[in-house]
Amino acid sequence: MKKADVFEFYRRLAEADPSPQTELNYVNPYTLLVAVALSAQATDVGVNKATGPLFAKVTTPQAMLELGEDGLKQHIKTIGLFNTKAKNVIAAAQILVDKYGGEVPRDRAALEELPGVGRKTANVVMNTAFGAETIAVDTHIFRVSNRTGLAPGKNVLQVELKLEKVTPKPFLQGAHHWLILHGRYICKARKPECWRCPVADLCAYRPKTPAPMP
């Protein structure tokens, strides 16, 4: 995608949604960290159903430790891989209490040292909680980047680094949210809804999906 088209691509997404937000519910940086860790191989809707009651009780690593692994499992048992996730969340809470005074670090390397936290989760927390210009590449962003020609890559790290390179500075902080929402609701996996896409004319995908018959 040409440089001018990349700028226009983001400009249109920003015009349609000036203040994009994560669809995961959270109270503070710690609950965001937990929510994102729980969302691996799960839907935001499913995670929000489980964390609503959980975050009414637990908003700090210390409170999570007091709840305990078994107590946490009772809250998140509807989420896939809940046994492993509960173990990781409790282990991460212990590290946060012992090493960081119960605060969530703003550094990617420090975040990635926490059990159950990979680069994608770290990028989401840095971006959403602390305003860092990071882009967390999930399946939606990977698909949109390759399908449109915005930032083609063979793996998520390639796409992430290319997005950081081609995304104009004014759009860097919001890029993660615009791309994930675009992939979730318009540029869908099975059939992109090109007929209602605001950036269809800038996109390399062919043939465009026609509007459904009335």
Side-chain angles (χ1 to χ4, degrees):
M1 193 178 291
K2 295 177 182 177
K3 190 173 182 179
D5 289 345
V6 171
F7 189 94
E8 181 63 12
F9 183 98
Y10 281 112
R11 189 199 67 76
R12 292 183 195 175
L13 295 183
E15 184 178 57
D17 187 2
S19 301
Q21 304 290 329
T22 178
E23 293 188 319
L24 285 170
N25 295 335
Y26 67 99
V27 178
N28 55 24
Y30 175 65
T31 53
L32 175 66
L33 176 68
V34 172
V36 179
L38 293 177
S39 71
Q41 299 180 42
T43 65
D44 287 1
V45 172
V47 172
N48 287 340
K49 284 182 180 178
T51 58
L54 174 64
F55 294 160
K57 300 177 181 178
V58 175
T59 59
T60 66
Q62 184 59 48
M64 187 65 78
L65 292 176
E66 291 169 6
L67 178 66
E69 188 174 328
D70 290 338
L72 177 56
K73 285 179 182 179
Q74 291 304 308
H75 283 279
I76 66 170
K77 60 187 177 182
T78 56
I79 300 174
L81 308 175
F82 73 94
N83 283 313
T84 299
K85 290 177 179 178
K87 185 176 181 178
N88 285 336
V89 167
I90 295 298
Q94 190 68 62
I95 293 172
L96 290 174
V97 168
D98 293 345
K99 193 172 180 180
Y100 299 103
E103 297 296 319
V104 176
R106 297 174 178 236
D107 176 69
R108 181 189 282 125
L111 286 166
E112 287 189 48
E113 287 179 356
L114 299 173
V117 177
R119 185 180 180 92
K120 184 180 78 173
T121 297
N123 280 343
V124 173
V125 172
M126 291 168 64
N127 176 274
T128 304
F130 303 125
E133 294 175 341
T134 54
I135 300 175
V137 179
D138 68 348
T139 55
H140 295 298
I141 295 179
F142 185 80
R143 178 176 68 255
V144 170
S145 298
N146 277 285
R147 182 184 275 169
T148 62
L150 176 65
K154 294 180 179 179
N155 56 57
V156 292
L157 182 58
Q158 282 186 8
V159 169
E160 179 190 331
L161 297 178
K162 192 168 287 188
L163 281 171
E164 288 181 350
K165 185 176 180 181
V166 304
T167 301
K169 180 76 171 175
F171 304 114
L172 261 174
Q173 193 188 345
H176 163 78
H177 301 291
W178 284 312
L179 294 174
I180 194 171
L181 294 171
H182 187 66
R184 186 172 286 165
Y185 296 111
I186 295 178
C187 197
K188 299 177 181 178
R190 291 189 178 182
K191 185 182 264 189
E193 298 181 359
C194 304
W195 71 89
R196 66 183 193 91
C197 174
V199 292
D201 59 311
L202 305 173
C203 166
Y205 180 72
R206 299 290 185 276
K208 303 296 186 190
T209 308
M213 295 294 288

